[in-house]
């Protein structure tokens, strides 16, 4: 059984924000995830979102990704998603989200250093 996303790791440093999410992102936790991430993007030049441990992404989870992208774009930051599982890639591609995000294929997530 999958678990709701109770794990959010956000590291900041040298203009890079790395967000690592795990579990399920749904309407139960998506708004809080968005709130936590969006509040910390000031001064960020690059936002890397690691989804390799995300097992399920509801429409609320997709909305969180769009909000992250919009906020990053508004401050001039580049957004990349990492670790898309095949089923998440399929959904994101089918609804056109992969046109918004750059997907880092076979690139490790950068370690943000303060």
């Amino acid at each position: 059984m999958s678990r709701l996303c109770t794990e959010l790791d956000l590291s900041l440093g040298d203009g890079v924000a790395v967000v690592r999410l795990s579990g399920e992102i749904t309407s139960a936790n998506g708004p809080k995830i968005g709130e936590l991430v969006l509040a910390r993007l000031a001064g960020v030049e690059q936002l890397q979102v690691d989804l390799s441990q995300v097992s399920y992404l509801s429409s609320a989870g997709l909305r969180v990704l769009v909000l992250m992208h919009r906020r990053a774009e508004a401050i001039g930051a580049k957004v990349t998603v990492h670790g898309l599982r095949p089923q998440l890639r399929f959904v994101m591609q089918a609804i056109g989200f992969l046109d918004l995000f750059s997907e880092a294929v076979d690139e490790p997530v950068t370690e943000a250093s303060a």
Side-chain angles (χ1 to χ4, degrees):
M1 177 179 203
S2 297
R3 59 183 162 63
L4 287 177
C5 181
T6 55
E7 294 183 33
L8 162 68
D9 178 44
L10 174 63
S11 56
L12 301 165
D14 297 329
V16 177
V18 177
V19 178
R20 289 184 176 86
L21 300 168
S22 62
E24 296 181 359
I25 304 173
T26 67
S27 60
N29 57 18
K32 185 65 175 175
I33 292 167
E35 178 184 314
L36 292 169
V37 173
L38 296 176
R40 307 227 14 231
L41 292 183
V44 168
E45 297 169 6
Q46 184 177 22
L47 173 61
Q48 297 181 0
V49 183
D50 182 354
L51 300 173
S52 62
Q53 299 303 310
V54 172
S55 56
Y56 176 76
L57 198 60
S58 74
S59 60
L62 292 168
R63 182 176 186 279
V64 168
L65 292 179
V66 169
L67 291 174
M68 284 184 204
H69 179 270
R70 285 183 183 163
R71 177 69 56 88
E73 188 176 64
I75 62 172
K78 178 183 175 188
V79 182
T80 55
V81 291
H82 296 255
L84 280 179
R85 293 179 178 195
Q87 66 272 25
L88 293 182
R89 181 180 292 109
F90 176 80
V91 169
M92 289 180 71
Q93 187 170 27
I95 60 175
F97 275 33
L98 287 185
D99 295 337
L100 292 177
F101 298 92
S102 296
E103 182 182 4
V105 180
D106 299 327
E107 287 181 32
V109 176
T110 303
E111 293 297 324
S113 58

